[in-house]
Amino acid sequence: MSALSEKEFKAVLDAFGFKASGKPFGNGHINDTFIIDGTPKYVLQKINKDVFKNPVALMDNVASVTEYITERTKEMGKDTPRCTLHMCKTTDGANVFQAANGEYYRAYQFVDDCDSVDKADDLKYYYNAAVAIGNFYSILDGFDASTLTETIPNFHHTKKRFENLKAAIAADKMGRAASVQAEIQFALDRENITSIILDAMQEGSVPVRVTHNDTKMNNILFDSETKEPVCLIDLDTVMPGSFLYDYGDFLRFAANTGEEDDIDLSLVNFDLKVFEAFTKGCLDSMGSTLTEKELLLMPISAAIMTYECGIRFLEDHLNGDTYFKIHRENHNLDRARTQFKLVADIEKNLDTMLSFIKSYHN
Ligand code: ADP
Ligand code: GN1
Ligand code: MG
């Protein structure tokens, strides 16, 4: 599809009744985000319809989850403006607008006086990120997850992700497989970890919960002044899942001493201080609700979720970079390499991590 002309983009702004224009904002890998500056501010997003095949059902999910959070917050007598995302309807009353070129747009009120951070010097942020996740779980505890559409089927089905990687290696569409043999071998050598969480969920020792499924640091908002947790955003993948997905995925991103796409892998290590702060926050806010098996699998979940993301980046590199936005040549390969370096480092720390969890939880 062609990009929108200025006039067509204006039609999108008009559809939501926005008077100001939009400027690119944030650094997510999936959607295109714009800030509509003014008073009040708004966030406008082009939904990536290659990733989210049914934008209308996706927005129905977001509507029901955010309305539920708002209602529960009201019942608890707390302030609602910053408790979750608040969707802006189009002037026709729809949750989403389809532009002239077929792309889908949605809008939210800007959550004011918050920071969305990629990295933080102060460990308080990592503790508070866990509290934000804990609040999200406790508030959605009574939510009927069966009403949600699975926006990306098998999103954290690590075994299926592994099969997808094998298919990409076999197809070798771009002729890139020969040049990434070391990365492919690293991935293939770890097939045994792909079923750990899934098996535990199947046997019931790890319960199914309403999970966020994309707990990247920059999807959590903190109060700019107090650094207190405000809310989780990027609710596109809220689906039934496991606490271990959100726990492991958070550490994948936040406990990386380097960047997700660092070229210098010596900068990429697992930061045990971040692990400790975040884990303390999880145990303080959710510890009493976690099962023995969940506690036991917390360390390996960090390795599994990092591995899963690594094989997704590698698969996308092999497939010709069709899923994640890239900003330079071999960007997905660089990302896969950082994830695998991190997996290797987490593997070395598994015993230390489990000892910490056991001693802090008792
Ligand atoms: P993506 O799916 O591409 O990651 P996000 O929904 O996470 O898109 O948005 C990208 C970034 O924009 C977020 O990390 C956050 O910094 C910012 N953002 C998104 N929505 C809001 C909002 N309602 N209020 C404030 N900031 C927001
Ligand atoms: C994507 O949308 P964003 O940038 O928050 C991806 C996550 C990955 C992450 C890797 C819907 O998250 O699953 O872990 O990139 N989101 C989707 O940085 O695929
Ligand atoms: Mg995001």
Side-chain angles (χ1 to χ4, degrees):
M1 275 294 164
S2 59
L4 283 185
S5 67
E6 215 170 294
K7 193 169 152 219
E8 287 165 341
F9 190 66
K10 173 84 173 53
V12 176
L13 297 169
D14 287 346
F16 288 96
F18 296 149
K19 303 285 172 248
S21 191
K23 281 189 294 211
F25 188 68
N27 48 10
H29 292 344
I30 305 295
N31 298 312
D32 287 354
T33 303
F34 305 87
I35 183 161
I36 311 293
D37 245 328
T39 318
K41 291 203 283 259
Y42 300 98
V43 165
L44 176 71
Q45 286 181 318
K46 182 176 95 181
I47 301 172
N48 184 329
K49 67 179 163 53
D50 294 329
V51 168
F52 298 106
K53 309 282 182 209
N54 187 343
V56 173
L58 163 74
M59 290 314 288
D60 287 346
N61 275 6
V62 175
S64 64
V65 168
T66 54
E67 277 159 23
Y68 186 87
I69 295 176
T70 307
E71 277 315 305
R72 289 266 334 253
T73 307
K74 247 188 231 162
E75 280 161 24
M76 292 186 294
K78 294 193 189 157
D79 272 352
T80 54
R82 300 196 307 169
C83 70
T84 188
L85 290 172
H86 296 283
M87 238 164 62
C88 305
K89 301 238 185 216
T90 66
T91 50
D92 293 341
N95 293 340
V96 64
F97 176 74
Q98 193 171 19
N101 64 352
E103 298 291 353
Y104 289 88
Y105 286 79
R106 50 111 183 270
Y108 296 117
Q109 290 170 21
F110 190 84
V111 185
D112 276 319
D113 307 318
C114 285
D115 290 328
S116 147
V117 293
D118 281 321
K119 285 248 173 292
D121 292 333
D122 188 345
L123 289 175
K124 192 174 170 187
Y125 279 108
Y126 301 101
Y127 182 93
N128 283 343
V131 175
I133 296 172
N135 291 343
F136 184 79
Y137 280 25
S138 86
I139 212 156
L140 284 175
D141 194 33
F143 183 84
D144 180 3
S146 69
T147 60
L148 296 175
T149 301
E150 210 178 353
T151 52
I152 303 180
N154 300 311
F155 190 54
H156 285 313
H157 196 301
T158 317
K159 263 175 99 163
K160 292 203 170 140
R161 295 288 188 186
F162 183 81
E163 292 309 320
N164 294 347
L165 172 68
K166 283 209 303 196
I169 298 167
D172 194 18
K173 262 191 223 163
M174 311 297 293
R176 290 173 171 175
S179 61
V180 294
Q181 279 307 306
E183 289 75 16
I184 289 178
Q185 201 52 53
F186 184 96
L188 297 180
D189 284 347
R190 282 160 181 77
E191 182 175 6
N192 62 320
I193 65 170
T194 61
S195 56
I196 295 177
I197 300 176
L198 294 164
D199 288 350
M201 288 175 82
Q202 189 135 35
E203 75 182 22
S205 54
V206 164
V208 175
R209 305 173 188 276
V210 181
T211 44
H212 181 278
N213 292 309
D214 191 0
T215 43
K216 213 163 153 173
M217 188 78 174
N218 58 24
N219 289 331
I220 301 176
L221 298 182
F222 303 90
D223 185 278
S224 306
E225 212 171 297
T226 64
K227 302 176 186 164
E228 290 299 311
V230 173
C231 63
L232 300 194
I233 57 168
D234 202 346
L235 302 174
D236 299 339
T237 49
V238 174
M239 286 181 283
S242 161
F243 157 72
L244 297 169
Y245 298 160
D246 286 346
Y247 176 80
D249 194 37
F250 180 86
L251 289 175
R252 170 195 80 75
F253 188 81
N256 178 355
T257 53
E259 301 298 326
E260 193 185 58
D261 59 357
D262 243 319
I263 290 173
D264 181 354
L265 293 180
S266 70
L267 300 175
V268 173
N269 285 297
F270 189 65
D271 189 334
L272 281 170
K273 287 272 166 283
V274 172
F275 155 77
E276 286 181 9
F278 179 67
T279 302
K280 278 183 186 172
C282 285
L283 296 175
D284 288 348
S285 64
M286 296 171 252
S288 61
T289 66
L290 299 177
T291 65
E292 276 305 308
K293 189 75 173 195
E294 282 177 306
L295 292 164
L296 198 65
L297 293 185
M298 280 163 74
I300 193 73
S301 75
I304 296 169
M305 298 311 292
T306 307
Y307 168 83
E308 183 190 277
C309 197
I311 63 176
R312 291 174 63 199
F313 286 142
L314 184 57
E315 180 202 340
D316 203 26
H317 176 70
L318 291 168
N319 283 343
D321 308 301
T322 57
Y323 186 95
F324 296 102
K325 284 187 207 167
I326 56 163
H327 307 289
R328 60 176 191 246
E329 207 182 325
N330 291 337
H331 206 165
N332 276 315
L333 176 60
D334 294 337
R335 290 169 175 153
R337 286 181 170 147
T338 62
Q339 301 305 286
F340 291 166
K341 166 74 197 291
L342 207 54
V343 170
D345 207 35
I346 297 170
E347 286 172 346
K348 288 186 211 140
N349 283 295
L350 290 175
D351 292 342
T352 311
M353 292 160 76
L354 190 59
S355 302
F356 178 82
I357 291 167
K358 283 186 174 160
S359 66
Y360 191 80
H361 189 58
N362 284 328

